[in-house]
Amino acid sequence: MPLTRRSLIIAGASALATPAFAAVPANGRLAFAVFRGQDKVGEHLMRFSPSGSGLTVSTEVEMRVKLGPIPVFRYAHTATERWRDNRFASLATRTDTNGKVEQVKAEATGSGVAIEGPSGRLTAPAAAAPLTHWNAAALSGPLFNPQLGKIMKVRTARAGRESVQLADGRSIPATRWTLRGEAEIDNWYDAAGAWAGLRGRLEDGSTMIYRRL
């Protein structure tokens, strides 16, 4: 199944004190330019706030697709993601797609991850984490969609070392991970482990690309 726009939710996170997580930039910030094909359609910004054994990550995504001068697609997504002692703790998201608002809340409990989303409530396995892309270590476990609040049916694999292009045109060494199934996504992580890029196939057959700023 091709990747839908909803599957490209980006809310990044990591932990400064825990090597299992992707590295957080020294300035506590990651930003991406978002392209649909060759056209820039938006930006994605993540801010990292460590505190003791925990980490809070705030995400803002804005996208707009135009047909000539006329906007035909508007997308805004915000998320607050928390991790504690190397484990996912909670997530709250709000997404506005062409005026349709969807919200998800998720919290780790003793019996699993309690998720409340547009389709109702469910309990995911205790090891589940949101597909927010930043943390390659999380890709080996169960994943849930942070916009829809549903467990995802995907296969993940580490594809090896190659290079990824940044927004300024430079290419850097990176490790690629693939997700296949109900989503078709490639993620790249730099030598320090930080999220460096994304490529995904949209439901209309076009390609969405994230290039790190």
Side-chain angles (χ1 to χ4, degrees), residues 65-81:
V65 177
K66 294 183 178 181
L67 184 59
I70 302 174
V72 295
F73 175 77
R74 296 184 179 91
Y75 177 93
H77 174 81
T78 59
T80 302
E81 184 177 358

PDB file of all heavy atoms in Angstrom, residues 65-81:
ATOM      1  N   VAL A  65       0.339  22.830  -0.789  1.00  0.00           N
ATOM      2  CA  VAL A  65       0.513  22.489  -2.207  1.00  0.00           C
ATOM      3  C   VAL A  65      -0.391  23.405  -3.015  1.00  0.00           C
ATOM      4  O   VAL A  65      -1.577  23.571  -2.695  1.00  0.00           O
ATOM      5  CB  VAL A  65       0.157  21.018  -2.481  1.00  0.00           C
ATOM      6  CG1 VAL A  65       0.282  20.711  -3.975  1.00  0.00           C
ATOM      7  CG2 VAL A  65       1.070  20.094  -1.666  1.00  0.00           C
ATOM      8  N   LYS A  66       0.168  24.000  -4.083  1.00  0.00           N
ATOM      9  CA  LYS A  66      -0.596  24.929  -4.905  1.00  0.00           C
ATOM     10  C   LYS A  66      -0.752  24.406  -6.320  1.00  0.00           C
ATOM     11  O   LYS A  66       0.108  23.698  -6.832  1.00  0.00           O
ATOM     12  CB  LYS A  66       0.101  26.291  -4.953  1.00  0.00           C
ATOM     13  CG  LYS A  66       0.144  27.031  -3.627  1.00  0.00           C
ATOM     14  CD  LYS A  66       0.796  28.398  -3.791  1.00  0.00           C
ATOM     15  CE  LYS A  66       0.807  29.177  -2.498  1.00  0.00           C
ATOM     16  NZ  LYS A  66       1.419  30.524  -2.677  1.00  0.00           N
ATOM     17  N   LEU A  67      -1.859  24.766  -6.941  1.00  0.00           N
ATOM     18  CA  LEU A  67      -2.072  24.561  -8.360  1.00  0.00           C
ATOM     19  C   LEU A  67      -2.045  25.949  -8.987  1.00  0.00           C
ATOM     20  O   LEU A  67      -3.015  26.696  -8.931  1.00  0.00           O
ATOM     21  CB  LEU A  67      -3.409  23.879  -8.626  1.00  0.00           C
ATOM     22  CG  LEU A  67      -3.714  23.529 -10.083  1.00  0.00           C
ATOM     23  CD1 LEU A  67      -2.656  22.596 -10.653  1.00  0.00           C
ATOM     24  CD2 LEU A  67      -5.099  22.906 -10.201  1.00  0.00           C
ATOM     25  N   GLY A  68      -0.871  26.306  -9.514  1.00  0.00           N
ATOM     26  CA  GLY A  68      -0.662  27.705  -9.905  1.00  0.00           C
ATOM     27  C   GLY A  68      -0.627  28.539  -8.639  1.00  0.00           C
ATOM     28  O   GLY A  68       0.043  28.193  -7.662  1.00  0.00           O
ATOM     29  N   PRO A  69      -1.396  29.629  -8.584  1.00  0.00           N
ATOM     30  CA  PRO A  69      -1.403  30.461  -7.379  1.00  0.00           C
ATOM     31  C   PRO A  69      -2.413  29.992  -6.332  1.00  0.00           C
ATOM     32  O   PRO A  69      -2.491  30.566  -5.250  1.00  0.00           O
ATOM     33  CB  PRO A  69      -1.800  31.835  -7.924  1.00  0.00           C
ATOM     34  CG  PRO A  69      -2.706  31.515  -9.075  1.00  0.00           C
ATOM     35  CD  PRO A  69      -2.139  30.239  -9.690  1.00  0.00           C
ATOM     36  N   ILE A  70      -3.158  28.926  -6.616  1.00  0.00           N
ATOM     37  CA  ILE A  70      -4.267  28.528  -5.755  1.00  0.00           C
ATOM     38  C   ILE A  70      -3.852  27.360  -4.857  1.00  0.00           C
ATOM     39  O   ILE A  70      -3.472  26.290  -5.359  1.00  0.00           O
ATOM     40  CB  ILE A  70      -5.495  28.115  -6.589  1.00  0.00           C
ATOM     41  CG1 ILE A  70      -5.922  29.263  -7.498  1.00  0.00           C
ATOM     42  CG2 ILE A  70      -6.641  27.696  -5.678  1.00  0.00           C
ATOM     43  CD1 ILE A  70      -7.023  28.883  -8.456  1.00  0.00           C
ATOM     44  N   PRO A  71      -3.916  27.508  -3.535  1.00  0.00           N
ATOM     45  CA  PRO A  71      -3.629  26.381  -2.632  1.00  0.00           C
ATOM     46  C   PRO A  71      -4.696  25.305  -2.766  1.00  0.00           C
ATOM     47  O   PRO A  71      -5.889  25.592  -2.702  1.00  0.00           O
ATOM     48  CB  PRO A  71      -3.668  27.028  -1.238  1.00  0.00           C
ATOM     49  CG  PRO A  71      -3.520  28.491  -1.473  1.00  0.00           C
ATOM     50  CD  PRO A  71      -4.171  28.759  -2.799  1.00  0.00           C
ATOM     51  N   VAL A  72      -4.259  24.059  -2.978  1.00  0.00           N
ATOM     52  CA  VAL A  72      -5.200  22.949  -3.097  1.00  0.00           C
ATOM     53  C   VAL A  72      -5.041  21.942  -1.957  1.00  0.00           C
ATOM     54  O   VAL A  72      -5.869  21.039  -1.825  1.00  0.00           O
ATOM     55  CB  VAL A  72      -5.029  22.234  -4.456  1.00  0.00           C
ATOM     56  CG1 VAL A  72      -5.391  23.160  -5.598  1.00  0.00           C
ATOM     57  CG2 VAL A  72      -3.606  21.700  -4.619  1.00  0.00           C
ATOM     58  N   PHE A  73      -3.983  22.108  -1.164  1.00  0.00           N
ATOM     59  CA  PHE A  73      -3.764  21.206  -0.041  1.00  0.00           C
ATOM     60  C   PHE A  73      -3.048  21.964   1.057  1.00  0.00           C
ATOM     61  O   PHE A  73      -2.000  22.574   0.832  1.00  0.00           O
ATOM     62  CB  PHE A  73      -2.932  19.993  -0.473  1.00  0.00           C
ATOM     63  CG  PHE A  73      -2.567  19.070   0.662  1.00  0.00           C
ATOM     64  CD1 PHE A  73      -3.500  18.195   1.186  1.00  0.00           C
ATOM     65  CD2 PHE A  73      -1.287  19.073   1.196  1.00  0.00           C
ATOM     66  CE1 PHE A  73      -3.175  17.336   2.231  1.00  0.00           C
ATOM     67  CE2 PHE A  73      -0.941  18.225   2.233  1.00  0.00           C
ATOM     68  CZ  PHE A  73      -1.893  17.349   2.748  1.00  0.00           C
ATOM     69  N   ARG A  74      -3.635  21.948   2.251  1.00  0.00           N
ATOM     70  CA  ARG A  74      -3.030  22.590   3.426  1.00  0.00           C
ATOM     71  C   ARG A  74      -2.925  21.564   4.540  1.00  0.00           C
ATOM     72  O   ARG A  74      -3.867  20.797   4.770  1.00  0.00           O
ATOM     73  CB  ARG A  74      -3.871  23.777   3.897  1.00  0.00           C
ATOM     74  CG  ARG A  74      -3.968  24.927   2.922  1.00  0.00           C
ATOM     75  CD  ARG A  74      -4.741  26.073   3.568  1.00  0.00           C
ATOM     76  NE  ARG A  74      -4.856  27.240   2.709  1.00  0.00           N
ATOM     77  CZ  ARG A  74      -5.861  27.452   1.867  1.00  0.00           C
ATOM     78  NH1 ARG A  74      -6.840  26.543   1.763  1.00  0.00           N
ATOM     79  NH2 ARG A  74      -5.906  28.539   1.127  1.00  0.00           N
ATOM     80  N   TYR A  75      -1.774  21.595   5.213  1.00  0.00           N
ATOM     81  CA  TYR A  75      -1.518  20.606   6.259  1.00  0.00           C
ATOM     82  C   TYR A  75      -0.723  21.270   7.381  1.00  0.00           C
ATOM     83  O   TYR A  75       0.288  21.943   7.130  1.00  0.00           O
ATOM     84  CB  TYR A  75      -0.730  19.439   5.674  1.00  0.00           C
ATOM     85  CG  TYR A  75      -0.335  18.374   6.658  1.00  0.00           C
ATOM     86  CD1 TYR A  75      -1.146  17.262   6.867  1.00  0.00           C
ATOM     87  CD2 TYR A  75       0.859  18.464   7.377  1.00  0.00           C
ATOM     88  CE1 TYR A  75      -0.777  16.272   7.761  1.00  0.00           C
ATOM     89  CE2 TYR A  75       1.230  17.483   8.273  1.00  0.00           C
ATOM     90  CZ  TYR A  75       0.407  16.386   8.463  1.00  0.00           C
ATOM     91  OH  TYR A  75       0.777  15.418   9.354  1.00  0.00           O
ATOM     92  N   ALA A  76      -1.201  21.111   8.618  1.00  0.00           N
ATOM     93  CA  ALA A  76      -0.488  21.616   9.788  1.00  0.00           C
ATOM     94  C   ALA A  76      -0.532  20.545  10.872  1.00  0.00           C
ATOM     95  O   ALA A  76      -1.603  19.981  11.158  1.00  0.00           O
ATOM     96  CB  ALA A  76      -1.115  22.909  10.288  1.00  0.00           C
ATOM     97  N   HIS A  77       0.628  20.258  11.452  1.00  0.00           N
ATOM     98  CA  HIS A  77       0.726  19.191  12.456  1.00  0.00           C
ATOM     99  C   HIS A  77       1.605  19.664  13.602  1.00  0.00           C
ATOM    100  O   HIS A  77       2.684  20.230  13.393  1.00  0.00           O
ATOM    101  CB  HIS A  77       1.339  17.944  11.821  1.00  0.00           C
ATOM    102  CG  HIS A  77       1.609  16.836  12.790  1.00  0.00           C
ATOM    103  ND1 HIS A  77       0.642  15.966  13.230  1.00  0.00           N
ATOM    104  CD2 HIS A  77       2.768  16.457  13.404  1.00  0.00           C
ATOM    105  CE1 HIS A  77       1.181  15.093  14.072  1.00  0.00           C
ATOM    106  NE2 HIS A  77       2.462  15.370  14.187  1.00  0.00           N
ATOM    107  N   THR A  78       1.133  19.472  14.838  1.00  0.00           N
ATOM    108  CA  THR A  78       1.945  19.743  16.021  1.00  0.00           C
ATOM    109  C   THR A  78       1.949  18.505  16.901  1.00  0.00           C
ATOM    110  O   THR A  78       0.970  17.733  16.923  1.00  0.00           O
ATOM    111  CB  THR A  78       1.413  20.937  16.829  1.00  0.00           C
ATOM    112  OG1 THR A  78       0.061  20.675  17.238  1.00  0.00           O
ATOM    113  CG2 THR A  78       1.455  22.215  15.999  1.00  0.00           C
ATOM    114  N   ALA A  79       3.042  18.301  17.604  1.00  0.00           N
ATOM    115  CA  ALA A  79       3.152  17.129  18.474  1.00  0.00           C
ATOM    116  C   ALA A  79       4.048  17.438  19.657  1.00  0.00           C
ATOM    117  O   ALA A  79       5.009  18.213  19.541  1.00  0.00           O
ATOM    118  CB  ALA A  79       3.705  15.931  17.699  1.00  0.00           C
ATOM    119  N   THR A  80       3.728  16.837  20.781  1.00  0.00           N
ATOM    120  CA  THR A  80       4.588  16.855  21.962  1.00  0.00           C
ATOM    121  C   THR A  80       4.833  15.409  22.362  1.00  0.00           C
ATOM    122  O   THR A  80       3.895  14.676  22.686  1.00  0.00           O
ATOM    123  CB  THR A  80       3.942  17.617  23.128  1.00  0.00           C
ATOM    124  OG1 THR A  80       3.660  18.958  22.728  1.00  0.00           O
ATOM    125  CG2 THR A  80       4.887  17.644  24.326  1.00  0.00           C
ATOM    126  N   GLU A  81       6.076  15.001  22.295  1.00  0.00           N
ATOM    127  CA  GLU A  81       6.460  13.607  22.545  1.00  0.00           C
ATOM    128  C   GLU A  81       7.395  13.568  23.741  1.00  0.00           C
ATOM    129  O   GLU A  81       8.317  14.379  23.848  1.00  0.00           O
ATOM    130  CB  GLU A  81       7.156  13.041  21.310  1.00  0.00           C
ATOM    131  CG  GLU A  81       7.514  11.575  21.391  1.00  0.00           C
ATOM    132  CD  GLU A  81       8.124  11.074  20.095  1.00  0.00           C
ATOM    133  OE1 GLU A  81       8.225  11.855  19.136  1.00  0.00           O
ATOM    134  OE2 GLU A  81       8.500   9.888  20.052  1.00  0.00           O
TER     135      GLU A  81
END
